[in-house]
Amino acid sequence: MRLRHAFFGAVAILLIALAAGCVERPQGGAAPDSPNRLSSGDLVEHMKEYDGMTVTFEGEAVGEAMARGSHAWIHLNDDAYFEKNIEEGAPLGGQNSGMPVWVSADLARKIGTFGDYKHEGDIVRVTGVFHAACPDHGGDTDIHAQTLEIVRRGHAVVDQPKPAKLVWAIALSLAAGALFVADRAITGGLKA
Amino acid sequence: MLKPRLEDHLVIGRYTGKVIIGVGLLMTIPLLTSLAFAEWDTALDFVIGMAACFIFGFGTQLVCRTDKDLEWSHGLVVASGSWIVATALGALPHFLSGHEGSYLDAMFDVMSGYTTTGLYLLQDLDHASFGLNMWRHLLTYAGGQGIVVIALTFLFRGTAGAYKVYVGEGKDERLLPNVINTARAIWLVSLVWLAFGWIALAITGAALGQSPVRALLHGLWVFMGAWSTGGFAPQSYNTMYYHSIVYEVLCAIIFIAGSFNFALHWAVWTGKRTEIRKNVETVSFAITLTSLVLLATFVLARARVYTDAVIVVRKVFYQLASGHTTTGFSTIFSRAFVTQWGPVGMLATTIAMAIGASACSTAGGIKGIRVGVIAKAFFHDVRTMLSPESAVVRTKYHHVRDVVLEDAVVRTAMTITLAYVVLYLVVTVAGVLSGYPVVEAAFEGVSAASNTGLSCGVTLPNMPAALKALYIVAMWLGRLEFMSVFALVGYGISMVRGK
């Protein structure tokens, strides 16, 4: 019985230690506010009020431009990560929020970098008409942009493995390997 | 109440260990994905996660050595207990990614994945790695089949107790006489759908302007989210990201198919095509979905939310079919349910989510078969009242074969339905007590408890921790359909108070 208690105790301690010590906590500092007078949150929260209004909207281009003939879809996020993302050390600032933008494909081609795990995307400013339920696009909420300018170019983000994780990964793998060998030797492995 | 003996603990520990080894093996796929895309830090997250699972799994097998086979109560405890351990350990890669505000948030997302719910607290999804996205979607795909089914398929070899664990996970159909073969049949159906669905979505994604690699990955992940009725998507915009009716139609076909009973799939697979229109669950689903779509369409058309009839029907059908199948995909912003659809639109969606889809599928909710059985019982009672006293009234329903409606079946359906209704009430009241308006609290609470995943903006990282914990329990209870969770609770009580 003692062996069992020791084993489950060790597993519990291991999990707590992992949770507590393995992750570099986000650096201090508040997440930035939306750069827009009317943020994506405001637009969604007051759809009727702003429907059909010309708005200027700024945000990080994420994902990709999806060209459809002479036009393209892009997505601009004006959330806590539009200047810097978590991989670069940005503090957690909630979930993503932004706006889909329908823009000419020529203008969309000006965007050089789109945000993803390995990139912080270009910050883009568009001016266009906000639609709460666009009649041209199946009722989607969007902005039909007439102008597009690049406010700041995006950049690559380095995926640096954290040394503490490496140490934990090696130590736990060795422990798992040892238990596997012991299990095979004593119980005959996975046979039910 | 009998106090469990040492042998009981050993057999439960041994089989739980096996299931957790299965979870560790599953992490190989996101690990390889991370390595393929040179996501070194993410790869370490999965090495740590796998090692933790193996330490638990092999360690438990080593400590819990016994020849005793599973009994019914053991099977139920293993099923529900495995989900807890799998959630605690499966959350490691989420937490280590740095995208979660706390370990509770990470566990919320993993339980949401396993239970094919689709609500999430992960932050900055649009900058998440391919490896983490693969894990999120794999969780929901595997959870849809049942993580115990995975272990049954790959790790249990012909044990007589396997069926007891399988039932404990909320599945009770035997497609084939042997439960291991049934688990493999479920995989066969799912993998064939995976091949066709993935190809169709990837080709469409490429045609919509995605690069080949992103089209392939998004196609795979969206398929997994749809087929498992999970509702996770790789971008924060969910399926609105694609702005495509073709993509929407493909998603709808896949998630409706995914919400059908595996027994129905197997019947069609073996040539009984008429089963689709005769089965009590498909009939029930068609009636309730059509009624709710008509209601929401009428309300939204009258409020002039959308400009023309085609758009209203497209939007309403997609969100409601997604809700009814407990998928959780959406092509509107979460808050649009509140700011555009209004209380009646939200109520229609809430009812759809509450009912859910088919039993023994990847879907959640009360389930069509119970709604069908209760409706049949109601009409049976009406007919009995209207018939002469000497008349014998018999009612049948069709589920793979014609089944005579018996009181025991009706009572079981009513019991589980009542349990769901109580759960829906509890999560709604908890939401209201946390400060949310009642319609929003009901919408979000039912979404969690029915394993749907549509959100009206309540599920956020800054929501109260107690509500997050309650939603985790609700997702777990809803997915396992109560009985195995009650067995686990009873097991815990008997350990303390039993004789």
Side-chain angles (χ1 to χ4, degrees):
Chain A
M1 280 298 273
R2 266 190 196 161
L3 177 67
R4 289 187 187 109
H5 288 152
F7 168 71
F8 288 117
V11 168
I13 290 166
L14 209 61
L15 282 175
I16 293 165
L18 268 173
C22 197
V23 175
E24 281 182 20
R25 285 287 161 203
Q27 304 303 307
D33 292 330
S34 166
N36 299 304
R37 191 180 66 80
L38 285 178
S39 69
S40 55
D42 295 330
L43 291 170
V44 173
E45 208 60 43
H46 306 283
M47 284 200 185
K48 278 184 193 160
E49 201 176 317
Y50 299 125
D51 189 25
M53 187 184 276
T54 298
V55 296
T56 296
F57 190 85
E58 187 178 312
E60 180 203 0
V62 294
E64 66 238 297
M66 290 186 282
R68 313 273 166 91
S70 63
H71 279 67
W73 282 107
I74 57 171
H75 295 83
L76 302 182
N77 284 3
D78 65 337
D79 51 27
Y81 316 102
F82 82 97
E83 286 180 326
K84 190 162 113 174
N85 62 52
I86 290 172
E87 270 62 45
E88 295 177 292
L92 292 173
Q95 291 174 331
N96 298 118
S97 64
M99 270 291 141
V101 176
W102 178 245
V103 64
S104 86
D106 287 339
L107 288 175
R109 272 190 280 273
K110 287 165 76 174
I111 302 171
T113 308
F114 287 88
D116 58 23
Y117 178 64
K118 290 194 172 181
H119 299 91
E120 183 65 18
D122 290 356
I123 297 179
V124 174
R125 185 182 298 135
V126 297
T127 301
V129 178
F130 170 71
H131 297 103
C134 179
D136 300 333
H137 295 113
D140 288 354
T141 302
D142 64 19
I143 294 171
H144 284 206
Q146 286 93 41
T147 66
L148 181 150
E149 58 180 305
I150 307 296
V151 176
R152 195 188 82 181
R153 282 289 171 195
H155 54 269
V157 176
V158 181
D159 175 46
Q160 194 73 43
K162 295 177 181 66
K165 282 189 190 178
L166 191 61
V167 172
W168 273 104
I170 293 169
L172 291 177
S173 299
L174 289 173
L179 283 170
F180 172 71
V181 172
D183 180 51
R184 299 290 294 188
I186 296 171
T187 69
L190 294 174
K191 270 185 271 179
Chain B
M1 192 179 285
L2 286 176
K3 193 167 191 166
R5 291 163 299 152
L6 177 63
E7 280 290 294
D8 297 311
H9 298 313
L10 294 183
V11 74
I12 287 168
R14 178 164 167 254
Y15 281 89
T16 305
K18 282 182 188 299
V19 175
I20 301 307
I21 291 170
V23 173
L25 291 173
L26 207 59
M27 286 189 195
T28 313
I29 296 171
L31 171 64
L32 292 175
T33 307
S34 300
L35 294 175
F37 290 100
E39 298 171 346
W40 310 121
D41 196 56
T42 308
L44 287 177
D45 298 344
F46 286 104
V47 172
I48 291 171
M50 284 174 79
C53 288
F54 291 151
I55 287 172
F56 182 90
F58 292 124
T60 312
Q61 290 207 142
L62 208 54
V63 172
C64 302
R65 294 195 301 275
T66 176
D67 293 329
K68 189 178 161 78
D69 208 351
L70 285 166
E71 293 170 10
W72 275 107
S73 59
H74 297 150
L76 296 174
V77 173
V78 169
S80 52
S82 297
W83 281 62
I84 295 176
V85 182
T87 299
L89 294 175
L92 272 169
H94 275 75
F95 184 67
L96 295 173
S97 74
H99 284 252
E100 302 279 5
S102 66
Y103 208 81
L104 180 68
D105 290 9
M107 286 181 63
F108 182 101
D109 282 15
V110 172
M111 183 60 92
S112 176
Y114 282 138
T115 56
T116 74
T117 303
L119 292 170
Y120 70 93
L121 296 170
L122 187 132
Q123 302 180 46
D124 199 13
L125 173 62
D126 292 333
H127 288 108
S129 62
F130 285 146
L132 184 60
N133 255 317
M134 182 64 86
W135 181 228
R136 294 174 70 235
H137 291 88
L138 197 62
L139 277 176
T140 200
Y141 186 64
Q145 319 309 306
I147 52 175
V148 169
V149 168
I150 295 170
L152 282 175
T153 315
F154 300 109
L155 301 176
F156 288 23
R157 290 178 193 158
T159 169
Y163 182 65
K164 293 152 191 168
V165 194
Y166 173 73
V167 173
E169 204 171 37
K171 292 182 165 62
D172 54 4
E173 302 278 5
R174 275 208 219 205
L175 312 183
L176 296 164
N178 180 310
V179 68
I180 308 284
N181 289 343
T182 297
R184 286 176 184 157
I186 288 174
W187 274 104
L188 179 66
V189 170
S190 292
L191 290 173
V192 169
W193 269 93
L194 169 67
F196 285 106
W198 181 8
I199 290 168
L201 288 169
I203 290 171
T204 308
L208 294 175
Q210 292 195 292
S211 68
V213 171
R214 281 179 64 87
L216 272 173
L217 288 173
H218 278 228
L220 176 62
W221 294 333
V222 172
F223 172 83
M224 287 176 167
W227 171 256
S228 65
T229 66
F232 282 153
Q235 299 284 158
S236 63
Y237 296 83
N238 204 269
T239 46
M240 181 171 66
Y241 180 77
Y242 306 98
H243 304 281
S244 160
I245 191 164
V246 178
Y247 219 86
E248 280 173 39
V249 168
L250 286 173
C251 286
I253 291 170
I254 296 165
F255 65 59
I256 289 173
S259 77
F260 286 156
N261 195 312
F262 281 114
L264 174 66
H265 279 284
W266 196 244
V268 174
W269 188 274
T270 49
K272 297 172 196 155
R273 297 216 171 91
T274 53
E275 188 65 26
I276 292 178
R277 60 180 171 78
K278 285 165 68 180
N279 192 288
V280 65
E281 291 190 297
T282 47
V283 173
S284 160
F285 176 74
I287 291 171
T288 48
L289 178 62
T290 306
S291 310
L292 292 166
V293 166
L294 286 174
L295 171 67
T297 301
F298 173 73
V299 171
L300 292 181
R302 204 173 61 166
R304 297 182 188 282
V305 172
Y306 301 107
T307 48
D308 69 59
V310 176
I311 290 176
V312 183
V313 173
R314 175 177 164 183
K315 282 288 182 213
V316 168
F317 179 80
Y318 190 81
Q319 317 318 312
L320 282 200
S322 169
H324 208 318
T325 55
T326 71
T327 304
F329 276 169
S330 63
T331 54
I332 61 175
F333 282 99
S334 297
R335 288 296 296 168
F337 279 111
V338 179
T339 60
Q340 279 188 315
W341 281 43
V344 181
M346 289 177 75
L347 187 66
T349 315
T350 306
I351 294 169
M353 293 191 290
I355 295 170
S358 298
C360 198
S361 72
T362 63
I366 291 168
K367 313 275 179 342
I369 192 159
R370 298 195 181 102
V371 175
V373 163
I374 292 168
K376 286 267 184 185
F378 174 78
F379 289 116
H380 173 90
D381 285 354
V382 171
R383 279 173 58 205
T384 307
M385 275 189 288
L386 297 177
S387 303
E389 260 182 53
S390 58
V392 177
V393 179
R394 279 163 64 95
T395 302
K396 288 181 181 176
Y397 63 94
H398 185 84
H399 178 58
V400 184
R401 56 194 167 79
D402 284 336
V403 183
V404 177
L405 190 69
E406 290 173 354
D407 285 350
V409 173
V410 178
R411 191 173 61 241
T412 307
M414 292 290 279
T415 305
I416 301 288
T417 302
L418 186 65
Y420 272 108
V421 171
V422 170
L423 182 62
Y424 294 155
L425 281 173
V426 169
V427 285
T428 302
V429 170
V432 172
L433 291 175
S434 303
Y436 298 99
V438 66
V439 179
E440 293 178 35
F443 185 99
E444 204 84 3
V446 169
S447 179
S450 66
N451 306 128
T452 303
L454 284 175
S455 175
C456 64
V458 171
T459 302
L460 292 171
N462 61 2
M463 74 193 278
L467 198 58
K468 289 177 190 172
L470 180 66
Y471 280 7
I472 290 176
V473 174
M475 290 189 269
W476 181 51
L477 274 166
R479 187 70 176 88
L480 296 181
E481 299 203 328
F482 307 99
M483 288 308 161
S484 56
V485 177
F486 294 161
L488 181 67
V489 174
Y491 184 76
I493 293 170
S494 60
M495 274 172 65
V496 180
R497 297 176 54 188
K499 291 174 185 168

